[in-house]
Amino acid sequence: MAGKQQERVNVEGHELTLTNLGKIIYPETGTTKAEVLEYYAAVAPFLIPAAANRPVTRKRWVNGVGTAEHPGQVFFQKNLEDSAPKWIPRAAIQHSDHTNVYPMVNNLATLTWMAQIASLEIHVPQWQVDPSGKPLRPDRFVLDLDPGPGAGLPECVEVAKLARSILQDMGMDPVPVTSGSKGIHLYTGLDGTLKSEQVSAFAKELARALESDHPELVVSDMKKSLRHGKVLVDWSQNSGNKTTIVPYSLRGRALPTVAAPRTWRELSSPSLDHLDYLAVMKRVATGKDHFASISDRHLPPHGEDENDDDGAASGDSGARERVVTVENRLAKYVGMRDPGKTPEPFPSSSVGSATPHSGGSSSDQPKPGDAPPPGGIFVIQEHHARRYHLDLRLERDGVLASWALPRGIPETPDRNNLAVHTEDHPMEYANFAGVIPKGEYGAGTMTIWDRGEYTCEKWRDGKEVIATLTGEPGGGLGGTKRFALINTGQNWLIHLMKEQPGGRRASSASSAKSEARPPVTKHAAPQPIPNYTPMLATSGTTADLRGGDWLYELKWDGIRAIITGTEGKIRLMSRNGNDLTAAYPELTDRACWPDGDFVADGEIVALGKGSRPDFGRLQLRMNLVKAADIERARTTVPVQLMLFDLLYDGGTDLSGLPFRERREGLSGFAGRLRKDCPLHLSAMLDHDVEDLMTSAAELGLEGVMAKKADSRYVIGRRSRSWIKLKLEQSQEVVVGGWRPGAGARAGTFGALLLGIPDGDKLHYVGRVGTGFKDWQLRDVMEKLEPRVVSDSPFADIPREDAAGAMWVSPDLVAEVTFGEWTGPGRLRHPVWRGWRPDKSAGEVTLAGS
């Protein structure tokens, strides 16, 4: 790979294009991108368990790390970019005023993708997330031992040993990691019972105790003036909002050093130093993972207590019999695996302590009048082994009955997928995600695709299972689904039942194409209106549309709105939760809309020349508050509402239905709109997508939306089931200041200074001075002048661009189009499109890769 500049590779079933392989990433050592990729492939079995299921914050050096004298520019990224592959595991984390969608390094393919886009440093919190993206309690504790001026690694080692002594007295066994930067990180595993605040408070008290006992060596206060010759014990990284570089991650420093787990014997060596990537590759080649005691900690499955052995201790013979039965059922599982070589969980000694969910012989057919077998928990795991597949596991008599699904879950009742019955797995496997080493049975990466509970209608061992599975919000199953597993005599099949929970019928591929369906059937019992936030599309190209049944419509260049109708009222909400109802009165006349409660999704647009959407014209309607101003603007700049989805109607939540069915319901809904109101159905276009893109370009439109016909509405999350195909590049930016104008622009501005958030500062990406209409010059100044501050919000603005500039508080988001990114990470020829009041500064990230 090192001799090539570009290569197409298949990583765990995912196609990736590796580019610029000969590019120098570390100039001082000549280390290339190919060598960075090689390093991350080598350490993947060790890094992934340390990072799995943790939201990742990345530091990217797109143009290399530079030298010690002239460091390269770094991008600090939290949000997963629109261009990221759809298969990357992700977690949507709600912050105080916004939601970020973070990637998670759960597999080698994701790690390779990150290395390809120069995400050299991978930072994670001390907690994991569940499948719905909900943060769990911390499962590890870290102290960052940071030497001040006049101190170094020897002083850090001394403090590490002092901290280790205290922690060992408390029953903890810490693992040291030389950070690859200056100091040492000290990790200890936790059992997940404490909150982040409690862990942070404990760390703070430990730091203060060390400082009190060793004031000549330790400081716990971060003031730089106190740190000379001492080691700062930084306890703050245990905060739920903080991250630490993950063990085995490269550093973006002048030399390619690594955050490397070490042994305590190594720390005693007088020649101790930070390790570079070549040294770490040699270490991992031995198969030893010095961080394994932290990475491989497994919490008990939901609903179980690993200390709960009351049943066995009580002398219950039935419990003892279940232990023997379960051990027999797991004999094959245990016999196929070596606990010294695989991180997979092994059955605990109290494996039979949980009460089984079914009574009597599981092979008995329920008799008329008998209650159906209750069910239990289930998990579906994504297994990137020699061949990619899903693994379905259902709790049964104290174990997980298991099937491998080479073609995944069937999406319609028309097609049954193969289900290969495999060995029973221990209940602990319900929480397993990690890397099974090469050479071991099932070698590859295992992640959780979905999990939850199931109810069982029928269970005939070796013959048939009928069950209804309810997954986690945002899980791969997409809600609640009813399946049958059937043994045909030669193999098993998994079948999606036509009759689904709530009286629904599963969509049939053949009937969807051949029949004109009536409006969506409503449930008998009305449901309360859920709180919907918009599903977000992912930027892509026509090459992303391979496979699947795609539906197309024009991309409307406006503002997204969720429309909620209740008795006597219409409410409009923006994508970031702002109430737009008063600003667009022509869209909120209740008489224009159908009776009954509903929730729809659409785009507010203003039409310009040739009846084309004009985002600049729409700016005249934004941010108006006074009723007189709104009424005046309503006359001069009328708006239209284009409807493209129906989420709730007549007491029924439709978000879990396939998009094709929701559109059929929307067509019937739109037919009841009043004809003289500015409300329209966004048409579906039955044409070749390349022809549609050509037509959109000729008409001066922004592009085309492609949506999978079978996709469900993923509330508040970005999805690869909706692809936006844009005709030009655009970038959201934060305005951090302006350069005063001259001549015709005297009294306003010559150019706005733009940035992308990078920690507490902005990374400077250039200035924009074109694309403004005369009225926008005044509008921009009215927004900027009240926000003037004395200090620059930019971390890296060049002196020539900063000369004479006025700085503003970096909280206003705008959008520009541009030609390309230049070498220093600047926008080439940016053109102003307008403000984005529907976005917050925290949501702005670097577009593309």
Side-chain angles (χ1 to χ4, degrees):
M1 184 166 66
K4 300 180 181 179
Q5 284 300 302
Q6 181 168 318
E7 186 172 348
R8 187 73 176 170
V9 297
N10 185 299
V11 184
E12 300 178 330
H14 299 300
E15 293 289 329
L16 284 167
T17 299
L18 307 180
T19 60
N20 299 321
L21 294 173
K23 184 175 183 177
I24 302 296
I25 302 298
Y26 292 89
E28 291 198 9
T29 57
T31 306
T32 64
K33 182 191 281 191
E35 291 170 314
V36 168
L37 285 159
E38 184 182 5
Y39 168 76
Y40 273 123
V43 301
F46 307 87
L47 185 150
I48 292 172
N53 300 323
R54 300 177 194 272
V56 167
T57 298
R58 296 164 286 154
K59 294 180 76 172
R60 292 177 59 192
W61 282 264
V62 178
N63 300 300
V65 301
T67 63
E69 293 76 21
H70 303 287
Q73 291 184 327
V74 58
F75 291 97
F76 192 86
Q77 279 192 268
K78 296 182 178 181
N79 257 323
L80 188 61
E81 48 266 51
D82 291 350
S83 61
K86 63 182 178 181
W87 40 260
I88 289 179
R90 60 200 67 199
I93 306 297
Q94 178 65 50
H95 297 284
S96 59
D97 60 348
H98 66 282
T99 298
N100 282 340
V101 178
Y102 296 84
M104 294 187 292
V105 183
N106 287 4
N107 52 54
L108 174 58
T110 300
L111 188 57
T112 303
W113 172 78
M114 286 189 178
Q116 154 61 22
I117 61 172
S119 295
L120 301 179
E121 288 192 8
I122 299 170
H123 294 248
V124 298
Q126 314 315 320
W127 44 267
Q128 296 180 308
V129 298
D130 67 14
S132 65
K134 179 183 177 182
L136 300 172
R137 291 188 173 185
D139 60 351
R140 61 196 191 203
F141 154 86
V142 64
L143 291 177
D144 181 4
L145 310 182
D146 187 9
L153 270 181
E155 288 77 13
C156 290
V157 170
E158 191 175 348
V159 176
K161 291 179 177 179
L162 294 171
R164 182 194 189 195
S165 178
I166 297 174
L167 291 169
Q168 284 181 324
D169 288 344
M170 302 174 67
M172 300 179 181
D173 191 14
V175 173
V177 175
T178 47
S179 70
S181 176
K182 293 188 294 182
I184 292 174
H185 295 159
L186 206 57
Y187 285 92
T188 299
L190 300 175
D191 62 6
T193 60
L194 299 176
K195 297 179 181 179
S196 292
E197 304 87 71
Q198 294 171 300
V199 177
S200 190
F202 165 72
K204 185 176 182 179
E205 287 305 313
L206 176 56
R208 286 181 173 176
L210 287 167
E211 181 182 34
S212 176
D213 291 342
H214 309 277
E216 77 291 346
L217 179 63
V218 178
V219 62
S220 64
D221 192 312
M222 295 188 188
K223 292 178 182 176
K224 292 184 178 180
S225 60
L226 303 176
R227 295 174 56 184
H228 188 82
K230 299 181 181 181
V231 174
L232 169 67
V233 179
D234 183 358
W235 49 269
S236 67
Q237 293 184 42
N238 297 283
S239 165
N241 297 322
K242 293 293 187 67
T243 60
T244 308
I245 193 165
V246 73
Y248 297 104
S249 172
L250 281 165
R251 281 287 193 176
R253 300 175 66 83
L255 300 178
T257 52
V258 174
R262 311 299 287 267
T263 66
W264 286 101
R265 177 175 293 181
E266 284 182 284
L267 258 65
S268 299
S269 170
S271 61
L272 177 72
D273 201 354
H274 296 283
L275 298 179
D276 69 7
Y277 79 106
L278 293 173
V280 175
M281 287 178 71
K282 289 180 181 178
R283 290 165 70 90
V284 300
T286 67
K288 292 182 180 179
D289 179 5
H290 298 303
F291 200 68
S293 61
I294 307 297
S295 294
D296 292 348
R297 297 176 64 85
H298 296 292
L299 299 179
H302 293 299
E304 294 185 24
D305 184 346
E306 58 186 349
N307 297 316
D308 183 5
D309 57 358
D310 292 346
S314 68
D316 182 350
S317 62
R320 286 196 297 271
E321 287 177 11
R322 287 195 294 276
V323 171
V324 174
T325 301
V326 168
E327 287 177 349
N328 289 340
R329 291 184 64 174
L330 294 176
K332 184 176 180 181
Y333 173 93
V334 172
M336 297 167 75
R337 293 163 173 83
D338 182 343
K341 295 181 178 179
T342 176
E344 294 171 282
F346 278 72
S348 64
S349 59
S350 59
V351 69
S353 63
T355 303
H357 283 273
S358 58
S361 172
S362 61
S363 61
D364 291 342
Q365 180 72 19
K367 298 179 178 60
D370 286 354
I377 67 169
F378 82 88
V379 64
I380 302 175
Q381 283 156 320
E382 194 171 13
H383 196 170
H384 296 267
R386 185 169 57 88
R387 283 191 173 185
Y388 169 84
H389 61 275
L390 296 180
D391 288 314
L392 168 64
R393 313 192 196 282
L394 304 176
E395 179 183 2
R396 188 69 175 174
D397 289 334
V399 298
L400 294 171
S402 300
W403 290 262
L405 310 177
R407 295 193 173 184
I409 297 289
E411 297 181 350
T412 76
D414 294 345
R415 176 177 172 177
N416 298 325
N417 287 356
L418 177 66
V420 181
H421 194 234
T422 62
E423 73 278 9
D424 293 331
H425 282 50
M427 290 297 297
E428 290 89 343
Y429 217 95
N431 277 357
F432 175 64
V435 179
I436 303 172
K438 186 176 181 180
E440 297 304 301
Y441 175 75
T445 306
M446 184 83 75
T447 59
I448 294 177
W449 190 75
D450 205 345
R451 62 182 167 190
E453 296 184 349
Y454 79 96
T455 54
C456 184
E457 297 176 40
K458 184 185 293 186
W459 193 297
R460 300 170 63 203
D461 274 350
K463 296 181 180 180
E464 180 185 21
V465 176
I466 300 177
T468 299
L469 282 61
T470 300
E472 298 274 5
L477 195 61
T480 300
K481 299 285 177 65
R482 182 169 172 255
F483 295 100
L485 288 156
I486 306 160
N487 190 342
T488 65
Q490 297 182 346
N491 51 45
W492 285 76
L493 299 174
I494 182 169
H495 169 73
L496 178 67
M497 305 292 281
K498 289 185 178 178
E499 297 298 332
Q500 290 291 309
R504 284 196 298 114
R505 289 181 67 86
S507 59
S508 164
S510 58
S511 62
K513 293 179 180 178
S514 62
E515 298 177 11
R517 296 190 180 182
V520 178
T521 303
K522 306 296 187 293
H523 295 172
Q527 305 170 10
I529 300 179
N531 181 30
Y532 296 96
T533 51
M535 175 176 174
L536 305 177
T538 301
S539 294
T541 67
T542 54
D544 296 312
L545 306 182
R546 292 188 300 269
D549 185 10
W550 294 88
L551 303 176
Y552 305 106
E553 59 187 292
L554 294 176
K555 187 177 187 309
W556 300 103
D557 194 8
I559 292 180
R560 190 80 173 274
I562 294 292
I563 309 99
T564 301
T566 54
E567 186 176 352
K569 185 176 181 181
I570 299 293
R571 186 181 64 179
L572 305 177
M573 298 295 290
S574 73
R575 57 162 281 175
N576 59 348
N578 291 331
D579 194 330
L580 306 175
T581 306
Y584 302 99
E586 61 264 59
L587 306 179
T588 58
D589 182 350
R590 192 63 181 89
C592 290
W593 296 88
D595 294 334
D597 294 348
F598 69 85
V599 180
D601 194 354
E603 192 96 353
I604 301 171
V605 298
L607 303 181
K609 293 181 180 179
S611 296
R612 298 169 188 164
D614 186 335
F615 189 74
R617 185 170 167 78
L618 184 61
Q619 298 275 308
L620 295 167
R621 292 293 304 267
M622 295 182 186
N623 299 316
L624 299 180
V625 177
K626 297 179 180 178
D629 292 341
I630 292 171
E631 192 59 34
R632 190 161 44 248
R634 175 181 177 180
T635 303
T636 57
V637 187
V639 296
Q640 316 283 320
L641 180 61
M642 310 304 298
L643 296 170
F644 49 71
D645 217 324
L646 186 64
L647 312 181
Y648 182 93
D649 190 23
T652 301
D653 177 10
L654 309 179
S655 62
L657 296 182
F659 177 60
R660 188 188 296 275
E661 291 192 28
R662 299 200 307 275
R663 280 291 308 198
E664 289 167 357
L666 180 62
S667 295
F669 178 87
R672 308 198 306 273
L673 296 170
R674 206 171 80 185
K675 304 303 180 187
D676 59 342
C677 294
L679 312 174
H680 312 280
L681 176 65
S682 178
M684 301 308 302
L685 306 173
D686 186 16
H687 295 81
D688 177 79
V689 66
E690 297 289 356
D691 291 342
L692 289 174
M693 292 295 286
T694 300
S695 298
E698 291 173 350
L699 294 170
L701 302 177
E702 191 182 9
V704 172
M705 290 294 303
K707 300 179 181 180
K708 274 193 173 181
D710 60 357
S711 62
R712 62 190 178 90
Y713 194 95
V714 185
I715 297 172
R717 293 178 60 184
R718 197 170 298 282
S719 170
R720 296 286 302 184
S721 294
W722 287 11
I723 302 290
K724 49 185 176 184
L725 308 170
K726 301 182 73 171
L727 291 166
E728 61 183 356
Q729 293 192 79
S730 65
Q731 172 68 53
E732 292 168 2
V733 291
V734 175
V735 177
W738 79 85
R739 289 172 57 87
R745 289 196 179 179
T748 59
F749 61 90
L752 302 183
L753 306 175
L754 312 175
I756 294 175
D758 179 6
D760 296 332
K761 290 281 190 175
L762 291 181
H763 164 62
Y764 182 67
V765 295
R767 54 188 186 183
V768 60
T770 60
F772 297 95
K773 296 179 174 63
D774 288 343
W775 66 265
Q776 288 177 310
L777 299 175
R778 297 186 297 272
D779 172 74
V780 168
M781 293 307 299
E782 288 175 0
K783 288 180 170 59
L784 295 184
E785 286 176 333
R787 291 176 164 83
V788 169
V789 295
S790 57
D791 297 325
S792 168
F794 296 101
D796 54 356
I797 187 168
R799 183 178 301 175
E800 59 270 22
D801 284 1
M806 298 292 293
W807 311 117
V808 298
S809 176
D811 55 7
L812 288 175
V813 178
E815 185 173 340
V816 296
T817 59
F818 66 102
E820 61 181 356
W821 289 101
T822 66
R826 304 282 191 264
L827 297 163
R828 186 185 295 279
H829 306 313
V831 178
W832 179 260
R833 290 199 73 236
W835 295 113
R836 294 307 312 235
D838 54 335
K839 307 287 180 70
S840 66
E843 295 178 89
V844 175
T845 58
L846 182 67
S849 55

